[in-house]
């Protein structure tokens, strides 16, 4: 419904044809508000976990309890989008890049061009604990 007295009108926009297919065209100004809104978001990948969404949501909210989280969204299996209220919170969380509490959690800043294929992950830092390791074996 459009109320012409509110200054909102509908107008026809022709669709460009690319390779004989009609395509929608978006200008940067059409999406600028959405881009600003999602700049506070990060992408999290939980490896080797088949936990329900509610468990992962509770985990990230507990892990980052010092930061206000606006929403947690499942992108696809084991891949989540976490939007913080403050941009600086997203930056701080992203700087660490990797978290581990039973399952590895990889954190990346969200970009428009980002790859969401978790099979492309080729290396991970791990923590190994050797109990009663003799001091002569200690080192970096």
């Amino acid at each position: 419904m459009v109320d012409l007295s509110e200054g909102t009108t509908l107008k026809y926009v022709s669709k460009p044809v690319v390779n004989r297919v009609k395509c929608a065209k978006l200008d940067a100004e059409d999406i600028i508000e959405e881009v600003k809104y999602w700049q506070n978001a990060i992408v999290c990948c939980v490896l080797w976990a088949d936990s329900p969404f509610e468990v992962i949501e509770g985990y990230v909210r507990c892990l980052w309890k010092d930061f206000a989280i606006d929403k947690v969204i499942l992108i696809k299996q084991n891949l989540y989008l976490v939007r913080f209220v403050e941009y600086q919170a997203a930056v701080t969380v992203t700087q660490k890049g990797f978290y581990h509490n039973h399952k590895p959690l990889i954190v990346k800043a969200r970009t428009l061009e980002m790859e969401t294929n978790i099979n492309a992950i080729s290396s991970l830092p791990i923590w190994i604990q050797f109990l009663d390791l003799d001091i002569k074996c200690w080192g970096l």
Side-chain angles (χ1 to χ4, degrees), residues 58-78:
Y59 173 67
V60 298
R61 288 186 185 275
C62 181
L63 181 64
W64 299 314
K65 63 182 177 282
D66 296 334
F67 306 109
I69 295 176
D70 178 37
K71 46 181 86 176
V72 180
I73 300 169
L74 175 67
I75 297 174
K76 63 182 185 179
Q77 185 176 3
N78 298 334

Side-chain angles (χ1 to χ4, degrees), residues 47-59:
L47 298 177
W48 309 302
D50 278 332
S51 302
F53 170 77
E54 294 79 10
V55 171
I56 300 299
E57 180 181 23
Y59 173 67

Side-chain angles (χ1 to χ4, degrees), residues 45-127:
C45 174
V46 183
L47 298 177
W48 309 302
D50 278 332
S51 302
F53 170 77
E54 294 79 10
V55 171
I56 300 299
E57 180 181 23
Y59 173 67
V60 298
R61 288 186 185 275
C62 181
L63 181 64
W64 299 314
K65 63 182 177 282
D66 296 334
F67 306 109
I69 295 176
D70 178 37
K71 46 181 86 176
V72 180
I73 300 169
L74 175 67
I75 297 174
K76 63 182 185 179
Q77 185 176 3
N78 298 334
L79 198 62
Y80 301 86
L81 186 73
V82 179
R83 184 182 181 278
F84 293 90
V85 173
E86 307 261 336
Y87 175 72
Q88 189 56 46
V91 170
T92 302
V93 166
T94 303
Q95 284 174 342
K96 186 170 179 185
F98 182 81
Y99 296 81
H100 192 277
N101 186 9
H102 305 294
K103 299 286 183 190
L105 175 72
I106 300 170
V107 177
K108 298 262 184 198
R110 189 197 71 82
T111 64
L112 296 175
E113 302 81 25
M114 98 178 313
E115 175 68 42
T116 60
N117 179 9
I118 64 174
N119 295 327
I121 298 170
S122 60
S123 65
L124 290 174
I126 60 170
W127 180 266

